Amino acid sequence: MKTIHVATTVNGDPVEFVCAPDESLLDALRNRLGLTGAKEGCGTGDCGACSVTLDGRLVCSCLVLGVEAEGASIGTIEGLASGDTLHPLQQSFIDHAALQCGICTPGILVAAKALLDRNPDPTDTELRYWLAGNLCRCTGYDKIIRAVQDAARQMRNA
Ligand code: FES
Ligand code: FES
């Protein structure tokens, strides 16, 4: 099949890849660029496991075409940590045991960071609404909410 050349930015680094015209951004990230943090839970925009940011907007990468990344700025879970130092959200998820199987975790972390970038002090209700598109079959959500709120507190006080 014909492939298309795409030049984009991922986590601040310029990258290029080729992909099929109908290939999702999720598949391009995972299979062309080796960025396997974003997960495919459903492939239909229902679970949020594939969440990334596209020009600062939170999107389901399974619903975006790889070619739509042309000229854009993509943020993935791989961009959260700084070298060996975890992002406060990542550390807080460990501290609060806010993950079990982990398949939802990259998407939830990307989504939570996107919220805190806009609103550093969300209410629990705002946080639950924001994360409503990120399904977790394991944790029951309470630990996730506590972990995000604790990270938000730490980030406000940093
Ligand atoms: S894999 Fe994209 S929303 Fe589920
Ligand atoms: S930790 Fe298993 S789905 Fe969320």
Side-chain angles (χ1 to χ4, degrees):
M1 182 191 278
K2 178 185 170 206
T3 55
I4 296 175
H5 175 266
V6 176
T8 186
T9 302
V10 178
N11 300 325
D13 295 326
V15 297
E16 300 178 35
F17 61 87
V18 292
C19 68
D22 62 351
E23 189 170 327
S24 71
L25 177 60
L26 175 62
D27 284 344
L29 288 170
R30 292 180 57 86
N31 301 331
R32 308 282 181 179
L33 296 175
L35 296 172
T36 56
K39 303 289 187 262
E40 180 170 321
C42 64
T44 52
D46 295 303
C47 75
C50 64
S51 298
V52 302
T53 56
L54 177 68
D55 290 335
R57 194 162 52 94
L58 186 65
V59 296
C60 294
S61 61
C62 70
L63 297 183
V64 176
L65 292 173
V67 294
E68 292 181 84
E70 174 68 34
S73 179
I74 310 294
T76 75
I77 185 65
E78 286 86 355
L80 243 65
S82 301
D84 290 338
T85 305
L86 293 178
H87 187 279
L89 278 164
Q90 293 172 306
Q91 187 60 54
S92 190
F93 269 55
I94 294 171
D95 295 343
H96 288 267
L99 66 157
Q100 290 179 34
C101 81
I103 189 112
C104 70
T105 310
I108 290 180
L109 288 167
V110 168
K113 180 176 182 299
L115 172 62
L116 298 185
D117 285 347
R118 290 165 177 70
N119 178 3
D121 191 9
T123 65
D124 278 5
T125 300
E126 288 170 333
L127 180 50
R128 285 179 186 273
Y129 270 105
W130 183 267
L131 294 180
N134 292 84
L135 305 184
C136 176
R137 301 297 299 272
C138 303
T139 65
Y141 299 102
D142 284 347
K143 290 178 177 179
I144 291 172
I145 301 303
R146 279 199 291 275
V148 175
Q149 290 293 31
D150 193 24
R153 262 189 300 278
Q154 292 176 40
M155 291 163 69
R156 287 195 302 275
N157 296 333

